[in-house]
Amino acid sequence: KITSSRIITMSETTTKSTTDGQCPDIIGNLPVPPSSVHNTRTNSKGQTVVIGIEGSANKVGVGVLLYDPSSRTYEILSNPRKTYVPPQGHGFLPKETSWHHQAHIVALIQTALTEAFPNNPNPANELSAICFTKGPGMGGPLRSCAIAARTLSKIWNIPMVGVNHCVGHIEMGRIATGASDPVVLYVSGGNTQVIAFSDERYRIFGETIDIAIGNCLDRFARVIGLSNDPSPGFNIEQEAKTPGAKFIEGLPYVVKGMDVSFSGILTYVAQEAKQKLTKGLLSKADLCFSLQETLFAMLVEITERTMAHCGQNQVLIVGGVGCNRRLQEMMGEMVKQRGGTLCAMDHRYCIDNGAMIAQAGIFALQHGITTEMEDTWCTQRFRTDQVRAIWRPATVLKHT
């Protein structure tokens, strides 16, 4: 279930967070057609239930999502996941990550179905479709989860829906926070994009031109010897909160138009750490605090520029880095000054999970989109703007 969590300590007029239990369909999507229009299988109560499988990086998750047409609400029935945590000083590699996912996927599916339908001996009979991550992501982990989805589709004789990982994050954020048409900041280990919707697609207004912000944080955490458990970025965030942490002047701040670059600042702080940490000239807290402040300021700048360009006053932060409280605070202050609203979530729904794949997948399924078996291949390169989001009105942004 989605439980209430106040994300940012700000006035109620500028902050929106996740809601309890059922999420009403009030985000401006097109009306959901009756299930008979596209021959969508429903359960005995006429409800549409899908299972979502996510495994594009180091997390593997399975979510079960229900849509009730009588109340026009979506509800997460279960959403278990497992995280592959590599040894300290190492990143997660495709082969080992694939082995991790293969070892846990069956148990996660069983757990998800048991939690969703505790008294049902045949929970598969409740399902309308299987949604899976088609890309982008790491090839081996993606294929491991896609094979599981294909197998279940054959066993249960239900259709599949291939989902863009990035769109999954966006749709989860929209339904969980009630954000109808926000500017989206998508920040994770593999992606950094500022997005706005126009003409059936999520248009990318700005992005990283080299490495993603999450990758930058993870690599720096390895440089200074922080643990990978629960995640390098989280441990940087905690280190940056150390009382007395000092801001280091002169860190590279690279914003090129609407795009950002993080490789230069990573090289700079890594050199600073190697040269000055052992001498006591800087502390880990100084470095983590300074890195966060500079990176997040770059993100706030390009997000504000997108808001101004599109005439929008609502921002939604999604992706694993999106649960960083300092990023939410800085973005919230900018949005507050513009008289807007910030929509954000905590780690349960910012971090990769199966329910987000189910959410984007059920939107597609309700409007007649399924993926044939021969098209269930995965791809490491799948741009956010390649997806036609036909469940949303085809509005066109006008420059303001």
Side-chain angles (χ1 to χ4, degrees), residues 307-337:
M307 292 177 69
H309 181 86
C310 300
Q312 306 283 64
N313 66 353
Q314 191 174 61
V315 173
L316 170 65
I317 306 178
V318 301
V321 180
C323 56
N324 184 295
R325 299 294 288 268
R326 179 56 183 154
L327 173 59
Q328 293 176 357
E329 289 170 0
M330 292 175 67
M331 190 67 68
E333 183 59 34
M334 179 274 288
V335 171
K336 181 180 179 181
Q337 291 176 11

Tab-separated table of all heavy atoms in Angstrom, residues 307-337:
chain	number	residue	atom	x	y	z
A	307	MET	N	10.692	24.964	-16.564
A	307	MET	CA	9.420	25.501	-16.085
A	307	MET	C	9.076	26.808	-16.780
A	307	MET	O	7.934	27.011	-17.216
A	307	MET	CB	9.488	25.734	-14.575
A	307	MET	CG	9.582	24.487	-13.729
A	307	MET	SD	9.742	24.885	-11.960
A	307	MET	CE	8.118	25.547	-11.596
A	308	ALA	N	10.057	27.679	-16.901
A	308	ALA	CA	9.824	28.967	-17.539
A	308	ALA	C	9.492	28.794	-19.017
A	308	ALA	O	8.600	29.460	-19.555
A	308	ALA	CB	11.058	29.856	-17.381
A	309	HIS	N	10.199	27.895	-19.680
A	309	HIS	CA	9.982	27.666	-21.109
A	309	HIS	C	8.585	27.108	-21.371
A	309	HIS	O	7.921	27.498	-22.340
A	309	HIS	CB	11.033	26.688	-21.643
A	309	HIS	CG	10.905	26.403	-23.108
A	309	HIS	ND1	11.480	27.196	-24.072
A	309	HIS	CD2	10.260	25.408	-23.775
A	309	HIS	CE1	11.198	26.710	-25.264
A	309	HIS	NE2	10.459	25.619	-25.110
A	310	CYS	N	8.133	26.195	-20.501
A	310	CYS	CA	6.858	25.510	-20.729
A	310	CYS	C	5.677	26.187	-20.045
A	310	CYS	O	4.530	25.782	-20.256
A	310	CYS	CB	6.953	24.060	-20.247
A	310	CYS	SG	8.224	23.075	-21.060
A	311	GLY	N	5.935	27.181	-19.214
A	311	GLY	CA	4.854	27.825	-18.496
A	311	GLY	C	4.241	26.937	-17.433
A	311	GLY	O	3.064	27.094	-17.086
A	312	GLN	N	5.014	26.013	-16.872
A	312	GLN	CA	4.517	25.083	-15.871
A	312	GLN	C	4.865	25.578	-14.464
A	312	GLN	O	5.869	26.261	-14.272
A	312	GLN	CB	5.143	23.696	-16.066
A	312	GLN	CG	4.977	23.121	-17.467
A	312	GLN	CD	3.588	22.587	-17.716
A	312	GLN	OE1	2.626	23.336	-17.706
A	312	GLN	NE2	3.485	21.298	-17.938
A	313	ASN	N	4.046	25.194	-13.482
A	313	ASN	CA	4.345	25.581	-12.097
A	313	ASN	C	4.383	24.373	-11.167
A	313	ASN	O	4.309	24.524	-9.951
A	313	ASN	CB	3.324	26.605	-11.589
A	313	ASN	CG	1.927	26.015	-11.477
A	313	ASN	OD1	1.672	24.884	-11.886
A	313	ASN	ND2	1.009	26.805	-10.926
A	314	GLN	N	4.517	23.192	-11.722
A	314	GLN	CA	4.554	21.977	-10.924
A	314	GLN	C	5.762	21.140	-11.328
A	314	GLN	O	6.029	20.952	-12.520
A	314	GLN	CB	3.267	21.174	-11.150
A	314	GLN	CG	3.056	20.023	-10.195
A	314	GLN	CD	1.697	19.372	-10.405
A	314	GLN	OE1	1.414	18.856	-11.480
A	314	GLN	NE2	0.849	19.406	-9.388
A	315	VAL	N	6.514	20.645	-10.331
A	315	VAL	CA	7.693	19.813	-10.588
A	315	VAL	C	7.519	18.478	-9.882
A	315	VAL	O	7.110	18.432	-8.717
A	315	VAL	CB	8.989	20.497	-10.095
A	315	VAL	CG1	10.183	19.541	-10.202
A	315	VAL	CG2	9.268	21.757	-10.898
A	316	LEU	N	7.844	17.411	-10.588
A	316	LEU	CA	7.823	16.061	-10.026
A	316	LEU	C	9.235	15.493	-10.109
A	316	LEU	O	9.842	15.489	-11.181
A	316	LEU	CB	6.863	15.172	-10.822
A	316	LEU	CG	6.887	13.674	-10.524
A	316	LEU	CD1	6.421	13.397	-9.104
A	316	LEU	CD2	6.027	12.919	-11.544
A	317	ILE	N	9.765	15.026	-8.979
A	317	ILE	CA	11.093	14.413	-8.955
A	317	ILE	C	10.924	12.903	-8.869
A	317	ILE	O	10.243	12.396	-7.971
A	317	ILE	CB	11.940	14.902	-7.766
A	317	ILE	CG1	12.010	16.429	-7.732
A	317	ILE	CG2	13.340	14.312	-7.845
A	317	ILE	CD1	12.800	16.968	-6.545
A	318	VAL	N	11.557	12.181	-9.797
A	318	VAL	CA	11.485	10.721	-9.801
A	318	VAL	C	12.883	10.145	-9.984
A	318	VAL	O	13.819	10.847	-10.345
A	318	VAL	CB	10.543	10.189	-10.907
A	318	VAL	CG1	9.130	10.726	-10.723
A	318	VAL	CG2	11.069	10.565	-12.299
A	319	GLY	N	13.011	8.840	-9.772
A	319	GLY	CA	14.308	8.172	-9.876
A	319	GLY	C	14.949	8.022	-8.512
A	319	GLY	O	14.591	8.702	-7.542
A	320	GLY	N	15.930	7.127	-8.426
A	320	GLY	CA	16.546	6.797	-7.153
A	320	GLY	C	17.147	7.970	-6.415
A	320	GLY	O	17.041	8.071	-5.179
A	321	VAL	N	17.793	8.889	-7.134
A	321	VAL	CA	18.386	10.065	-6.482
A	321	VAL	C	17.296	11.026	-6.017
A	321	VAL	O	17.519	11.879	-5.163
A	321	VAL	CB	19.376	10.767	-7.437
A	321	VAL	CG1	20.023	11.988	-6.792
A	321	VAL	CG2	20.461	9.791	-7.896
A	322	GLY	N	16.101	10.857	-6.556
A	322	GLY	CA	14.990	11.747	-6.212
A	322	GLY	C	14.541	11.669	-4.770
A	322	GLY	O	13.837	12.564	-4.292
A	323	CYS	N	14.930	10.613	-4.033
A	323	CYS	CA	14.536	10.547	-2.625
A	323	CYS	C	15.545	11.237	-1.712
A	323	CYS	O	15.395	11.218	-0.489
A	323	CYS	CB	14.307	9.102	-2.185
A	323	CYS	SG	15.688	7.991	-2.442
A	324	ASN	N	16.573	11.870	-2.286
A	324	ASN	CA	17.527	12.640	-1.490
A	324	ASN	C	16.828	13.875	-0.920
A	324	ASN	O	16.303	14.708	-1.668
A	324	ASN	CB	18.717	13.045	-2.364
A	324	ASN	CG	19.803	13.755	-1.583
A	324	ASN	OD1	19.609	14.848	-1.065
A	324	ASN	ND2	20.974	13.133	-1.519
A	325	ARG	N	16.822	13.986	0.394
A	325	ARG	CA	16.075	15.074	1.028
A	325	ARG	C	16.646	16.452	0.709
A	325	ARG	O	15.916	17.438	0.621
A	325	ARG	CB	16.047	14.857	2.545
A	325	ARG	CG	15.361	13.572	2.978
A	325	ARG	CD	13.878	13.588	2.671
A	325	ARG	NE	13.163	14.486	3.559
A	325	ARG	CZ	12.603	14.112	4.714
A	325	ARG	NH1	12.697	12.867	5.117
A	325	ARG	NH2	11.947	14.986	5.459
A	326	ARG	N	17.966	16.532	0.543
A	326	ARG	CA	18.570	17.833	0.243
A	326	ARG	C	18.173	18.298	-1.155
A	326	ARG	O	17.886	19.481	-1.360
A	326	ARG	CB	20.092	17.749	0.376
A	326	ARG	CG	20.817	19.052	0.071
A	326	ARG	CD	20.309	20.203	0.934
A	326	ARG	NE	20.942	21.465	0.606
A	326	ARG	CZ	20.395	22.659	0.809
A	326	ARG	NH1	19.179	22.758	1.360
A	326	ARG	NH2	21.041	23.756	0.477
A	327	LEU	N	18.133	17.384	-2.116
A	327	LEU	CA	17.676	17.750	-3.458
A	327	LEU	C	16.236	18.234	-3.399
A	327	LEU	O	15.879	19.244	-4.036
A	327	LEU	CB	17.802	16.550	-4.400
A	327	LEU	CG	17.195	16.725	-5.804
A	327	LEU	CD1	17.835	17.897	-6.539
A	327	LEU	CD2	17.337	15.433	-6.608
A	328	GLN	N	15.401	17.554	-2.634
A	328	GLN	CA	14.008	17.965	-2.514
A	328	GLN	C	13.894	19.343	-1.868
A	328	GLN	O	13.067	20.169	-2.276
A	328	GLN	CB	13.241	16.926	-1.699
A	328	GLN	CG	13.115	15.577	-2.402
A	328	GLN	CD	12.442	14.531	-1.539
A	328	GLN	OE1	12.103	14.785	-0.372
A	328	GLN	NE2	12.240	13.346	-2.088
A	329	GLU	N	14.722	19.608	-0.870
A	329	GLU	CA	14.686	20.921	-0.215
A	329	GLU	C	15.087	22.034	-1.171
A	329	GLU	O	14.437	23.090	-1.227
A	329	GLU	CB	15.616	20.916	0.990
A	329	GLU	CG	15.122	20.077	2.164
A	329	GLU	CD	16.182	19.917	3.242
A	329	GLU	OE1	17.291	20.476	3.056
A	329	GLU	OE2	15.913	19.238	4.245
A	330	MET	N	16.173	21.822	-1.918
A	330	MET	CA	16.641	22.855	-2.838
A	330	MET	C	15.625	23.089	-3.956
A	330	MET	O	15.339	24.240	-4.328
A	330	MET	CB	18.005	22.448	-3.422
A	330	MET	CG	19.130	22.439	-2.396
A	330	MET	SD	20.701	21.815	-3.037
A	330	MET	CE	21.135	23.093	-4.234
A	331	MET	N	15.072	21.998	-4.508
A	331	MET	CA	14.070	22.146	-5.557
A	331	MET	C	12.808	22.796	-4.997
A	331	MET	O	12.188	23.653	-5.656
A	331	MET	CB	13.734	20.776	-6.144
A	331	MET	CG	12.885	20.835	-7.418
A	331	MET	SD	13.760	21.558	-8.826
A	331	MET	CE	14.992	20.284	-9.125
A	332	GLY	N	12.445	22.416	-3.781
A	332	GLY	CA	11.264	22.990	-3.164
A	332	GLY	C	11.368	24.478	-2.957
A	332	GLY	O	10.396	25.216	-3.119
A	333	GLU	N	12.553	24.951	-2.603
A	333	GLU	CA	12.746	26.391	-2.401
A	333	GLU	C	12.590	27.147	-3.711
A	333	GLU	O	11.964	28.208	-3.754
A	333	GLU	CB	14.132	26.641	-1.801
A	333	GLU	CG	14.413	28.093	-1.474
A	333	GLU	CD	13.430	28.694	-0.492
A	333	GLU	OE1	12.956	27.962	0.400
A	333	GLU	OE2	13.111	29.901	-0.627
A	334	MET	N	13.150	26.597	-4.793
A	334	MET	CA	12.997	27.245	-6.100
A	334	MET	C	11.535	27.276	-6.517
A	334	MET	O	11.012	28.318	-6.967
A	334	MET	CB	13.840	26.505	-7.147
A	334	MET	CG	13.748	27.079	-8.556
A	334	MET	SD	12.364	26.451	-9.549
A	334	MET	CE	12.914	24.771	-9.881
A	335	VAL	N	10.854	26.160	-6.379
A	335	VAL	CA	9.450	26.073	-6.789
A	335	VAL	C	8.589	27.015	-5.949
A	335	VAL	O	7.675	27.675	-6.456
A	335	VAL	CB	8.953	24.615	-6.670
A	335	VAL	CG1	7.449	24.540	-6.885
A	335	VAL	CG2	9.673	23.720	-7.666
A	336	LYS	N	8.896	27.110	-4.659
A	336	LYS	CA	8.145	27.997	-3.772
A	336	LYS	C	8.278	29.449	-4.221
A	336	LYS	O	7.300	30.203	-4.231
A	336	LYS	CB	8.647	27.832	-2.344
A	336	LYS	CG	7.930	28.688	-1.314
A	336	LYS	CD	8.500	28.441	0.076
A	336	LYS	CE	7.813	29.295	1.115
A	336	LYS	NZ	8.376	29.088	2.474
A	337	GLN	N	9.486	29.840	-4.612
A	337	GLN	CA	9.709	31.211	-5.069
A	337	GLN	C	8.934	31.523	-6.346
A	337	GLN	O	8.583	32.667	-6.604
A	337	GLN	CB	11.202	31.441	-5.286
A	337	GLN	CG	12.021	31.457	-4.004
A	337	GLN	CD	13.509	31.593	-4.254
A	337	GLN	OE1	13.940	31.881	-5.386
A	337	GLN	NE2	14.309	31.374	-3.214
